[in-house]
Amino acid sequence: MILFKKFKQLDKKKKVEVIISSILTVALMIALPVYAWFASNKNLETITKIKEPGEIIIRAGKRSGETEADSIVNFEMKDIDIESIAGGKPQRFVFSVMPGDYNLGYKIQLAHTTNIPFVYTIYKAEAPDTTGMSEAQLAQLTIYSPVEDKSDKTYYQTVGSALTMTPLNEDDASVVGRKIAKQNDTGDAYKSYSQTYITGTDTPEVYAVPVYLQSGKQTHSGDSADSYDYYILELSWDTTANVNDNYAFKDWNTGKNNKETDIIYITASRQE
Amino acid sequence: MNKADGNDVLEEKKTDKRNRKMSIIKIAAIGLSIVFVVLFSTFAWFSMNRDVGTSGMGVTVGSDSYQIVPLDGITSIYQDYYNYMSDNQDTSMVWKMTAENNMENYTGDAGISPGAYGTISFYVKPRDASVNLDLSFEIVGYKYSETTQAAAEEGQDPITTKSMTRVSNELQGYLAGHIFLFETRTPVYDDPESENKKIISYMYSDPILSTTEIAKVISNRTFYKTDENTPVNIYWVWPKTLSTLVDATENAYVTIEPFCENPAYTAVVNNVTTYPARFLYKYSDTETTLTASLLSSQYETYGDLYDRADNEIGLNVSYITLKMTTTETAQTTP
């Protein structure tokens, strides 16, 4: 209150001076730190996005009219007519690979046991337009139908020659006369039958060791509307299977209780 | 007391009243002007908004000895995601991006992934004859998530909360290891002699590496041209495979060669073997001392660990910020 009394006692000119100077002082007090804060900004920053990883998916064939291939459950290798295969008529099955959003290169690996002397071949495939095709022409094509509806048929044909599959652990000069997995340690990266299976007195069948075959790099072909690459897996007969009488694959077409089973794995993985 | 005296008292009282009114009005006027000054200065602070450097206007900030000037470009297309961070108190300038200089945050459905590379740039403008700067780069990873809660009342829309959370230290380490910054980049041509030569790849040198501290630092860089914008180009790259860093071509299946030559190659390899937890998935210090030859001879294991760390980044990090902090190096007088 003393300040106010003194303030009132000043004459008008002085009063105006005091008011203006106090306002300016306050303004200065605020402006200085604000400017200093502006001026100290010598950093740069930006933000960017990390893309999600792409997926490689293996599925069954695609029905005509659908945009996505059917799930892998629909890839069935049943009704294999071994007599007709051995007679020289191979059987074919359709599967597909989706390389993912980024269209990366990939390779296909086929691993199979060798109980039955099949020869496995993989071809690239496509679904042609079948309008106007005769019965004879359709008979040449491979049929894909989903599990729940065998009458819903889509036709596929092979494109070009077979994929070159490089065997990783095949024994070329095996004693059984046909190609099975390597039996002995040859210093390869892949363990052989003798390293993997023979422990103590346990000596499982040599045919139980799977043979691994890998393709070269595949890139997504076809138009951008279809994100799948189609393949046909062909089963044909190994004609060398009966060369060596001691190990001949026989009696499969007789009424004996010696049916064989093979397991195959199809894998796709990214390949630069 | 006569009537004149009574009038005098009345007059005095009136004058007093008037004086008091005046002083109240004056106090109010002073108070109001203070309020206005405060308001305008805070308004300046709000409108500053870290966005300095508009096209054409060229507003730049800096201290007395130098300025950092962004390129004449745009802010990142992911700039909005800053709004969902709870911890980002930062007030750095916005690093402007152009069509040629960006971190895949310029346009479209962009983003970085293993194999991505590019350039980001800015200018340094010394005010004095020369200035020595330390440039420090830090990458911070965030995970973006949306949570939806049912509305409190019927008929209202559900409430979506968006948030950006910092990822774990392990992932911050992978980011520091897998995203490289270089000062120099040389193109490799398919046919150097031809006029229509095409660039098939790049070789990088002068790496900006992180040490014990995750931040990557360029120490004591001198800028000379007074009052001129000196461009600084930072080449960023996310190597696709471990064989890009360490020579693993002794293995027949390795097709990708290192993108550095000595001395940068040695510096990069040393960084990998010294801080393997930043490059390899869940790598813990065991008795094995990592060397370049071990990484190559057992490339199946270590190359795969590098790829798995990449996968972890892809699955768990949504966005990253790249921040550059500049400070003046203390000058040594000769």
Side-chain angles (χ1 to χ4, degrees):
Chain A
M1 290 324 281
I2 300 175
L3 262 159
F4 264 85
K5 270 199 182 147
K6 289 220 167 136
F7 185 73
K8 273 199 291 188
Q9 283 164 12
L10 296 171
D11 56 10
K12 198 169 185 180
K13 190 179 167 210
K14 280 269 183 341
K15 276 188 194 170
V16 170
E17 274 178 37
V18 168
I19 291 173
I20 290 175
S21 52
S22 45
I23 289 175
L24 283 176
T25 312
V26 172
L28 208 64
M29 277 178 0
I30 292 170
L32 269 176
V34 169
Y35 173 77
W37 182 70
F38 263 100
S40 69
N41 205 343
K42 290 170 287 188
N43 306 333
L44 283 175
E45 186 169 328
T46 187
I47 183 170
T48 189
K49 181 177 157 181
I50 302 271
K51 286 192 197 173
E52 284 115 23
E55 298 177 295
I56 297 181
I57 302 178
I58 298 183
R59 295 192 144 201
K62 185 170 74 138
R63 285 173 273 170
S64 51
E66 298 284 331
T67 48
E68 300 293 320
D70 289 338
S71 90
I72 193 63
V73 164
N74 295 292
F75 176 75
E76 276 191 314
M77 292 179 74
K78 51 186 279 192
D79 301 331
I80 294 179
D81 189 347
I82 201 169
E83 277 214 36
S84 75
I85 294 182
K89 187 167 183 284
Q91 207 155 342
R92 291 170 167 183
F93 307 91
V94 178
F95 68 95
S96 62
V97 175
M98 184 180 85
D101 294 331
Y102 310 126
N103 273 339
L104 302 165
Y106 60 93
K107 66 181 177 202
I108 296 177
Q109 175 177 276
L110 178 67
H112 65 86
T113 51
T114 52
N115 286 298
I116 307 174
F118 283 136
V119 171
Y120 301 84
T121 323
I122 298 181
Y123 296 85
K124 275 198 187 301
E126 64 177 8
D129 188 6
T130 52
T131 51
M133 277 195 182
S134 65
E135 283 296 324
Q137 283 174 311
L138 285 176
Q140 299 295 317
L141 303 181
T142 309
I143 298 172
Y144 163 72
S145 40
V147 166
E148 68 246 353
D149 189 2
K150 286 296 167 192
S151 62
D152 186 353
K153 297 179 183 177
T154 315
Y155 292 90
Y156 285 86
Q157 67 186 12
T158 62
V159 174
S161 50
L163 256 56
T164 316
M165 303 295 280
T166 315
L168 298 179
N169 63 338
E170 236 175 31
D171 192 353
D172 297 323
S174 81
V175 66
V176 301
R178 57 188 173 89
K179 288 197 174 127
I180 56 174
K182 279 202 173 111
Q183 301 303 303
N184 298 306
D185 177 17
T186 56
D188 290 338
Y190 303 94
K191 289 193 175 173
S192 66
Y193 168 81
S194 57
Q195 289 170 301
T196 312
Y197 294 95
I198 301 184
T199 50
T201 54
D202 193 19
T203 55
E205 281 245 318
V206 298
Y207 308 109
V209 182
V211 171
Y212 290 85
L213 304 126
Q214 289 184 354
S215 76
K217 177 177 170 181
Q218 307 298 317
T219 44
H220 177 54
S221 51
D223 53 279
S224 52
D226 193 348
S227 50
Y228 293 89
D229 289 335
Y230 301 98
Y231 295 93
I232 283 177
L233 174 67
E234 178 186 84
L235 258 56
S236 51
W237 196 249
D238 186 348
T239 50
T240 66
N242 290 325
V243 167
N244 188 324
D245 281 335
N246 287 337
Y247 297 94
F249 187 79
K250 52 190 181 188
D251 296 338
W252 47 266
N253 54 350
T254 62
K256 284 190 187 174
N257 190 17
N258 59 350
K259 297 295 175 275
E260 293 287 353
T261 311
D262 265 329
I263 299 175
I264 78 161
Y265 283 94
I266 303 175
T267 326
S269 65
R270 196 179 299 172
Q271 168 84 26
E272 293 303 327
Chain B
M1 206 120 20
N2 53 9
K3 208 173 180 186
D5 284 331
N7 274 345
D8 279 338
V9 171
L10 209 62
E11 283 295 327
E12 249 187 76
K13 280 198 178 148
K14 274 189 184 163
T15 320
D16 276 335
K17 207 173 170 184
R18 201 169 45 229
N19 284 343
R20 249 180 287 145
K21 258 195 199 164
M22 281 309 293
S23 45
I24 287 172
I25 290 171
K26 283 171 194 167
I27 291 169
I30 293 173
L32 208 66
S33 34
I34 290 175
V35 165
F36 272 121
V37 167
V38 169
L39 242 141
F40 278 123
S41 55
T42 51
F43 179 72
W45 177 66
F46 275 118
S47 67
M48 183 256 191
N49 206 23
R50 308 188 298 125
D51 194 14
V52 181
T54 52
S55 56
M57 210 171 110
V59 175
T60 57
V61 293
S63 78
D64 290 329
S65 44
Y66 70 101
Q67 283 180 6
I68 299 294
V69 180
L71 293 184
D72 186 8
I74 62 165
T75 56
S76 157
I77 54 177
Y78 304 110
Q79 196 73 14
D80 284 344
Y81 287 89
Y82 276 109
N83 298 333
Y84 312 128
M85 294 178 193
S86 58
D87 65 342
N88 193 307
Q89 305 287 328
D90 213 354
T91 51
S92 309
M93 271 192 288
V94 168
W95 201 327
K96 293 296 178 76
M97 302 287 140
T98 68
E100 300 85 37
N101 290 37
N102 60 66
M103 207 167 179
E104 299 298 343
N105 53 0
Y106 181 74
T107 182
D109 189 15
I112 62 174
S113 57
Y117 60 91
T119 316
I120 42 174
S121 313
F122 56 94
Y123 299 106
V124 175
K125 188 173 178 178
R127 284 274 178 81
D128 301 334
S130 78
V131 66
N132 286 10
L133 298 180
D134 289 339
L135 309 172
S136 170
F137 300 89
E138 193 181 347
I139 297 172
V140 179
Y142 290 86
K143 176 79 177 161
Y144 173 73
S145 58
E146 282 182 19
T147 47
T148 312
Q149 279 177 310
E153 291 170 16
E154 266 191 59
Q156 283 185 350
D157 293 324
I159 307 161
T160 309
T161 320
K162 302 179 184 177
S163 64
M164 292 267 277
T165 330
R166 279 198 178 212
V167 297
S168 67
N169 287 341
E170 183 184 307
L171 282 161
Q172 306 283 9
Y174 294 152
L175 286 168
H178 286 242
I179 299 177
F180 275 81
L181 302 176
F182 290 91
E183 291 190 70
T184 314
R185 184 176 79 174
T186 334
V188 175
Y189 297 102
D190 54 354
D191 186 3
E193 309 299 318
S194 150
E195 273 184 8
N196 304 325
K197 57 187 178 189
K198 290 199 180 60
I199 298 177
I200 46 175
S201 67
Y202 288 101
M203 293 297 282
Y204 295 88
S205 44
D206 300 318
I208 313 169
L209 296 169
S210 41
T211 55
T212 331
E213 298 298 315
I214 274 194
K216 303 168 198 282
V217 181
I218 299 177
S219 291
N220 205 7
R221 180 58 42 83
T222 312
F223 297 91
Y224 290 107
K225 304 176 191 167
T226 315
D227 270 343
E228 268 183 52
N229 284 345
T230 312
V232 179
N233 293 321
I234 303 294
Y235 302 100
W236 60 269
V237 56
W238 186 341
K240 202 184 269 192
T241 60
L242 186 61
S243 63
T244 324
L245 309 173
V246 180
D247 190 353
T249 49
E250 60 171 297
N251 302 291
Y253 56 87
V254 170
T255 52
I256 299 180
E257 293 182 357
F259 62 9
C260 286
E261 286 171 338
N262 273 325
Y265 175 78
T266 312
V268 167
V269 171
N270 281 345
N271 204 260
V272 176
T273 53
T274 315
Y275 306 103
R278 294 186 191 150
F279 296 90
L280 307 174
Y281 179 68
K282 288 210 190 306
Y283 185 84
S284 62
D285 292 320
T286 60
E287 311 86 56
T288 326
T289 325
L290 283 184
T291 59
S293 55
L294 185 66
L295 290 171
S296 172
S297 61
Q298 293 190 23
Y299 186 76
E300 270 172 32
T301 311
Y302 293 110
D304 183 55
L305 287 178
Y306 180 91
D307 289 340
R308 285 167 74 183
D310 272 345
N311 209 45
E312 279 300 297
I313 295 176
L315 292 173
N316 296 304
V317 182
S318 319
Y319 296 89
I320 58 163
T321 60
L322 173 64
K323 177 178 172 182
M324 178 186 73
T325 315
T326 66
T327 45
E328 237 178 297
T329 328
Q331 296 219 17
T332 51
T333 48

